[in-house]
Amino acid sequence: MTAAGPLPVTVVGGYLGAGKTTLVNSLLRQANGRRLAIMVNEFGALPIDASLVEAADDRIVSLVGGCVCCSYGEDLVSSLAMLRALEPRPDHVLLEASGVAFPGAIAGTVGLLQGFALDGAVVLADAETVRGRAGDRYLGSTVRRQLSEADLILLNKCDLAGDPDAAEAWLGETAPDARVLRTTRAEAPIDIVLGAWTGRAALPAGGGPFDHTAGYATAALDPPERAEPEALARILADPAHGLLRAKGFMPRPGGGMAAIQTVGSRWAVSDAPSDAPSGLICIGLEAGTDFAALRRAVSDF
Amino acid sequence: MTATIYPAARIVTMNPARPHATHVAVREGRILGAGTLEELAGWGDYRLDGRFADKVLMPGLVEGHSHVMEGSLWAYVYCGFFDRMDPEGRVWAGLKSIDAVVERLAEAAGALEDPASPLAGWSLDAIYYGGRRINRHDLDRVSTERAVGVLNASGHILNVNTRALELAGLLRTGVNHPGIPLGADGLPTGEMKGPDAMAPLGVHTGFDRDLLACDEPGLRRFAKLCVRTGVTTAADLANLLPEDAVEMMLRVTGEPDYPARIVSLRRFYGLTPEELIDRALELRGRSRDRLRLGIIKVVADGSIQGFSARLRWPGYYNGAPEGLWYVPPEHLLEIYERALAAGLGVHTHTNGDEATELALDCMESALRKHPAPDHRFTLQHCQLADAAQFRRIRALGLCVNLFPNHHFYWGDQHYAVTVGPERAERMNACATALREGVPLAIHSDAPVTPLGPLFTAWCAVNRRTASGRTLGEQERIGVADALRTITLGAAYTLGLDGEVGSIETGKRADFAVLEDDPETIGGERLKDVRVWGTVQGGRIFRAADLQA
Ligand SMILES: [Zn+2]
């Protein structure tokens, strides 16, 4: 990805207390050289661990490792433009939505903006309280809609919840299009939450960047010849296979290379440099991903 | 010190002990008394000033919910369907066809020197043009070279031309967004619906958020509108009050000839509830006579005509989904608790009845924790409250500031589309509020509708829609109630009823100077009462003498 390419944006949603801030801090700790820009709506007390803050001015707080944090207030569009103009430019924007905002609406705006690419909407749910909230007289419909607009749901605080299985089963009905990842203290691999790895380089021989002991499974796929990237992307995003993410490049039947990216059921295809290496990497949960069926679907293609 | 005694054709005092007087005596910007010349002569030295001898004096009118932004918007082209007076007193004719809108915009575009600078208009009311949607081709007739954007009166739609779409990178096929309708050619029609779709276009069409937040020329223009409508105290209901704005507002309102008292509320945004309380306390300490600070504003839900208000079952008449929360309930409760503990006032925007219900639940719980006998918390808009809610409002000691202007501007739409006939007829239930003993104010929410408490009073008295329907005969109120509501009623919600709102000994010398008598002109003609100007803090402001 060249610096002039679109800047990826991930929307982070969920009701108060679900762990949005914890997730942001966890991602910052995993940034490992990637420059993350964190945009928060309700600034107030800075939601970033003090140990990560390096310097602060009026609009921008500089964090260790070249990351930044800013409050977008009511002007999402100009705040995003400001981040894009930073030198050096951030690699990825994490847009933390307010507790009652709809991630789908924010994602819709981001999708309209030139120079940005919506990566996906990640919504956190507190495994212990989410079902109660979803039944709340005032909040219920808001919480359910937030979940239903997610590409990826982090079912958080699983260590505290009495019955995370029941919560996950309930999510399957409430948000059938989203993939669910169980977390504790909102700890999830940055590569899954942000899709922030590039091509095959991230996949060491015989293994993935992801810790199998944590239950993630990775697979490399060779794209079938003469397939339309859009059609392939749709298969990768099909809820039946349960992939969390897929990413890679493939030749277009009419010439040129295409980049494919999926998160949950959301997929995007864009132009890629002609020297991009053909190949796809797919990530899912060992327990929830049917790689065999996926390979069949791709090879039948 | 010499007093000035003004004889007037009639003085309507709003003081029930002596409702009318022939003379009012003023000293040091305050009222010595209202009565006969003989009574007032007892105060000692005086000078008789006969300039109001043929005028009617009322207490300076109090607008309990407006936005100083009304002054700022006049920097853009007025495109409304109804006649509207600008701060210089010019009445812009309402535009009765799309062609007329295009013509006015084209004229304004012709006056711009830079061919690339954008042109922005406001207050377009697309619902009045026979169901025909305004599209980019209409606005292309204004200009194909500069971006053109026109904000709807509701604030929920932005109409743009082709150039604006081009600049935003949206003149393309494949745009997939619920707020962006596409034409037969697969390209956006130029109608951007809702804040999410409008956001990418604002910067290209000249809508400068910082300017709309609060700018100095806007604050000055707003004050002129106050003089022209008889207003001497106006609430600026939702300011973020950043430090530079506070300093500017203190400076401008502190100028010797600034003609209005602005009560600026700090909106809950970008701070934690705890920080909000600290900031409000700090602001309160910096108040001056003409800039009152320290009250908090919280927005609980959206708007009815934007289908973003939170409605209780059975929801919207046309089946639209249930609306949006703008504040998490936990935060609303925390703000109430902290504000009650700190002795700060909170005004809560609740359009839908579910939002009102939430505010009532939070208030009940907060009051149990921090009992407060005279908190003046106010529900703003509160348009759909029913009688049972008004009884709870009363029991919790809340005030309401209802929005009768809605009947005129959107009453027909509320009847036919948004909430349906029954709820449309009881919305902004002024009569119920008074009957249940709820302290009542009524407002314009300028710039949403024009500033003008006498017009707002007319709306509450007549409940007439633009098409002429009387929307809920039962909820009409009498002229006397309406006049008290736009003076003492609004002052009470702002905690200023001891200072303003009536003409009696000790209060600020704030008067609306009128050519007609609102008590006798008749409810039908209340909106036609002519305003000569105001007296504010004893200083005289004649509308005809205001400098451009
Ligand atoms: Zn308002």
Side-chain angles (χ1 to χ4, degrees):
Chain A
M1 190 69 61
T2 62
L7 178 54
V9 179
T10 296
V11 179
V12 178
Y15 195 67
L16 303 184
K20 296 196 294 285
T21 302
T22 316
L23 172 67
V24 165
N25 282 294
S26 154
L27 294 174
L28 283 170
R29 293 214 159 76
Q30 301 176 59
N32 194 24
R34 278 169 291 212
R35 289 183 302 275
L36 302 184
I38 316 297
M39 294 180 72
V40 294
N41 180 321
E42 287 157 1
F43 212 48
L46 189 66
I48 305 292
D49 289 353
S51 63
L52 294 171
V53 174
E54 257 178 2
D57 74 14
D58 262 5
R59 294 193 69 183
I60 291 263
V61 177
S62 303
L63 309 173
V64 292
C67 298
V68 296
C69 180
C70 82
S71 155
Y72 62 87
E74 286 175 273
D75 209 340
L76 180 67
V77 176
S78 78
S79 301
L80 276 171
M82 180 197 72
L83 286 178
R84 197 167 186 277
L86 286 179
E87 275 309 327
R89 201 183 89 166
D91 297 315
H92 202 113
V93 177
L94 268 172
L95 209 168
E96 185 181 328
S98 87
V100 285
F102 294 127
I106 298 176
T109 299
V110 172
L112 296 174
L113 298 176
Q114 281 174 304
F116 296 89
L118 176 69
D119 185 65
V122 177
V123 174
L124 287 109
D126 179 329
E128 190 164 20
T129 62
V130 67
R131 282 173 292 164
R133 292 248 197 248
D136 182 87
R137 159 179 189 204
Y138 293 117
L139 283 172
S141 60
T142 300
V143 168
R144 290 194 303 273
R145 186 166 153 195
Q146 287 176 341
L147 293 168
S148 73
E149 291 178 350
D151 298 307
L152 191 63
I153 294 175
L154 301 190
L155 184 61
N156 194 27
K157 305 191 183 178
C158 280
D159 54 330
L160 304 174
D163 193 355
D165 290 340
E168 186 168 348
W170 174 83
L171 279 178
E173 291 163 27
T174 306
D177 286 343
R179 309 292 193 274
V180 179
L181 203 60
R182 293 194 194 188
T183 58
T184 291
R185 288 179 298 281
E187 280 163 8
I190 189 169
D191 292 311
I192 289 180
V193 178
L194 303 186
W197 82 94
T198 41
R200 272 177 187 276
L203 193 65
F210 309 110
D211 183 359
H212 282 251
T213 59
Y216 297 106
T218 320
L221 287 180
D222 287 318
E225 278 174 40
R226 282 184 300 284
E228 288 289 347
E230 286 78 6
L232 184 65
R234 222 171 269 131
I235 291 176
L236 296 170
D238 187 337
H241 307 308
L243 274 189
L244 295 169
R245 278 201 176 262
K247 191 167 175 176
F249 304 104
M250 65 179 285
R252 287 187 188 276
M257 293 296 289
I260 290 183
Q261 165 133 244
T262 74
V263 49
S265 300
R266 181 188 297 278
W267 57 269
V269 172
S270 55
D271 290 335
S274 55
D275 59 351
S278 181
L280 290 159
I281 295 174
C282 307
I283 303 170
L285 288 173
E286 274 180 343
T289 312
D290 191 344
F291 281 107
L294 177 67
R295 282 186 197 283
R296 269 197 307 278
V298 170
S299 58
D300 287 355
F301 192 73
Chain B
M1 201 176 215
T2 308
T4 305
I5 295 183
Y6 299 99
R10 192 168 149 89
I11 299 174
V12 177
T13 68
M14 295 295 149
N15 170 8
R18 43 172 66 191
H20 301 103
T22 55
H23 293 72
V24 59
V26 174
R27 200 168 69 194
E28 295 168 68
R30 298 169 75 176
I31 297 165
L32 277 172
T36 63
L37 182 59
E38 293 69 39
E39 288 174 324
L40 299 176
W43 287 105
D45 278 357
Y46 69 87
R47 189 173 59 83
L48 206 59
D49 186 331
R51 76 177 83 199
F52 302 138
D54 62 343
K55 312 288 183 226
V56 175
L57 300 184
M58 259 186 85
L61 305 182
V62 182
E63 171 54 82
H65 183 157
S66 56
H67 301 272
V68 166
M69 188 216 293
E70 160 93 30
S72 309
L73 277 172
W74 283 102
Y76 305 134
V77 182
Y78 176 67
C79 296
F81 182 80
F82 299 96
D83 296 355
R84 191 153 173 165
M85 181 175 63
D86 75 11
E88 311 310 332
R90 170 174 172 189
V91 176
W92 292 77
L95 301 173
K96 304 301 180 190
S97 68
I98 295 175
D99 285 345
V101 172
V102 169
E103 198 179 310
R104 180 171 292 166
L105 286 165
E107 197 180 312
L112 295 174
E113 278 175 20
D114 179 358
S117 68
L119 181 71
W122 64 290
S123 208
L124 184 72
D125 232 334
I127 53 177
Y128 290 110
Y129 300 129
R132 156 111 139 71
R133 315 302 307 182
I134 294 172
N135 60 44
R136 62 190 166 91
H137 303 297
D138 295 315
L139 297 181
D140 287 345
R141 288 156 56 206
V142 175
S143 175
T144 52
E145 281 164 19
R146 67 177 85 248
V148 179
V150 188
L151 195 62
N152 255 247
S154 68
H156 295 281
I157 302 177
L158 181 68
N159 283 89
V160 299
N161 69 347
T162 300
R163 180 66 185 139
L165 288 171
E166 236 167 51
L167 287 172
L170 290 171
L171 192 69
R172 55 183 166 87
T173 55
V175 173
N176 178 12
H177 192 283
I180 304 182
L182 304 178
D185 54 4
L187 299 172
T189 64
E191 223 182 349
M192 316 303 286
K193 297 169 151 182
D196 304 314
M198 287 158 64
L201 269 301
V203 43
H204 298 292
T205 49
F207 284 100
D208 180 337
R209 270 206 167 274
D210 291 340
L211 184 139
L212 291 184
C214 191
D215 72 315
E216 186 168 334
L219 183 59
R220 295 183 192 283
R221 284 197 288 262
F222 181 77
K224 292 188 207 178
L225 283 168
C226 289
V227 172
R228 294 183 193 283
T229 53
V231 172
T232 51
T233 299
D236 172 34
L237 219 77
N239 205 313
L240 289 177
L241 293 174
E243 196 47 38
D244 49 350
V246 172
E247 279 161 23
M248 182 278 286
M249 293 172 83
L250 281 168
R251 172 169 54 77
V252 172
T253 58
E255 288 169 2
D257 58 350
Y258 193 82
R261 180 179 298 101
I262 306 293
V263 183
S264 196
L265 279 67
R266 194 347 174 142
R267 181 154 65 95
F268 172 50
Y269 203 92
L271 296 175
T272 63
E274 194 178 0
E275 290 166 336
L276 174 74
I277 298 298
D278 288 345
R279 176 68 174 154
L281 284 169
E282 187 212 330
L283 287 168
R284 184 167 73 180
R286 294 166 68 185
S287 290
R288 296 290 176 270
D289 174 32
R290 291 199 289 278
L291 184 65
R292 303 301 176 97
L293 303 169
I295 305 179
I296 289 165
K297 165 82 175 289
V298 184
V299 178
D301 67 341
S303 77
I304 301 169
Q305 70 274 30
F307 300 100
S308 51
R310 292 288 314 197
L311 265 55
R312 290 185 297 183
W313 190 90
Y316 288 98
Y317 194 47
N318 70 347
E322 67 274 291
L324 306 176
W325 291 112
Y326 287 158
V327 66
E330 285 91 334
H331 285 171
L332 188 64
L333 176 62
E334 186 183 347
I335 291 167
Y336 283 4
E337 288 178 352
R338 289 182 181 275
L340 287 173
L344 290 165
V346 180
H347 288 220
T348 310
H349 159 128
T350 69
N351 258 318
D353 52 0
E354 191 185 43
T356 294
E357 194 80 358
L358 172 68
L360 295 177
D361 287 354
C362 290
M363 194 63 187
E364 194 174 320
S365 149
L367 275 172
R368 204 162 283 141
K369 205 161 159 188
H370 301 283
D374 188 20
H375 50 71
R376 307 281 169 110
F377 278 32
T378 299
L379 299 183
Q380 293 287 346
H381 306 319
C382 198
Q383 294 202 73
L384 287 170
D386 65 9
Q389 289 186 324
F390 278 112
R391 286 188 283 273
R392 277 189 85 193
I393 287 167
R394 173 65 194 150
L396 296 169
L398 288 154
C399 314
V400 295
N401 190 349
L402 303 182
F403 196 175
N405 288 25
H406 246 261
H407 309 147
F408 180 75
Y409 289 101
W410 294 289
D412 293 315
Q413 282 71 41
H414 290 320
Y415 188 95
V417 181
T418 62
V419 298
E422 184 173 335
R423 286 177 298 177
E425 286 179 354
R426 71 129 208 263
M427 67 192 288
N428 296 299
C430 294
T432 299
L434 290 174
R435 192 171 56 247
E436 298 295 347
V438 175
L440 174 68
I442 52 178
H443 66 274
S444 68
D445 202 11
V448 176
T449 73
L451 184 71
L454 286 163
F455 174 76
T456 302
W458 176 86
C459 291
V461 166
N462 296 287
R463 295 182 70 90
R464 193 81 39 82
T465 69
S467 75
R469 179 200 302 275
T470 298
L471 201 64
E473 183 68 35
Q474 294 301 313
E475 293 295 347
R476 294 176 59 187
I477 60 173
V479 170
D481 281 334
L483 295 179
R484 195 179 58 250
T485 299
I486 59 173
T487 49
L488 272 177
Y492 184 85
T493 65
L494 301 172
L496 296 177
D497 51 311
E499 278 185 69
V500 303
S502 63
I503 299 179
E504 53 186 305
T505 301
K507 287 195 157 179
R508 307 265 171 192
D510 289 2
F511 312 132
V513 183
L514 310 173
E515 303 280 7
D516 306 295
D517 186 345
E519 287 192 317
T520 59
I521 195 170
E524 274 289 331
R525 295 186 53 211
L526 208 45
K527 66 180 168 53
D528 305 321
V529 168
R530 292 165 297 160
V531 177
W532 178 91
T534 59
V535 176
Q536 212 275 0
R539 302 163 306 149
I540 295 168
F541 299 96
R542 183 185 182 193
D545 293 343
L546 292 173
Q547 302 292 315

